[in-house]
């Protein structure tokens, strides 16, 4: 997922995307804790995706406030 795809979405879709990513990240953390996770890079990628979506969401909210 890249920022250009995210910028084409509306605020409600971005907020849903954040909640979905947070749930996925929680599941991955639980898999890591129980030693079921084999690919640990997925955790970092999910965390970066969350940050990317939150950044675009903040940009949209700041632009709507103007």
């Amino acid at each position: 997922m890249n920022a250009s795809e995210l910028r084409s979405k509306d605020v409600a879709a971005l907020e849903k995307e954040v909640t979905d990513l947070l749930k996925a990240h929680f599941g991955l953390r639980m898999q890591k804790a129980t030693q079921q996770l084999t690919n640990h890079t997925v955790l970092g990628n999910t965390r970066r995706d969350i940050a990317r979506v939150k950044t675009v969401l903040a940009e949209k909210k700041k632009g709507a406030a103007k």
Side-chain angles (χ1 to χ4, degrees):
M1 150 182 358
N2 51 9
S4 61
E5 293 174 4
L6 294 173
R7 287 192 178 98
S8 65
K9 294 183 179 183
D10 61 337
V11 174
L14 289 173
E15 288 174 347
K16 183 179 180 333
E17 188 76 30
V18 169
T19 58
D20 292 343
L21 285 169
L22 286 171
K23 287 179 184 178
H25 188 66
F26 178 77
L28 290 171
R29 284 189 354 239
M30 291 302 110
Q31 286 182 9
K32 182 182 177 193
T34 58
Q35 298 179 351
Q36 295 174 348
L37 187 65
T38 57
N39 187 3
H40 295 277
T41 59
V42 178
L43 274 170
N45 293 341
T46 307
R47 196 175 68 241
R48 282 187 205 92
D49 286 342
I50 292 169
R52 191 175 296 120
V53 173
K54 283 186 174 182
T55 301
V56 172
L57 187 61
E59 287 173 358
K60 286 205 178 254
K61 286 184 178 180
K62 185 178 179 183
K66 281 189 175 182

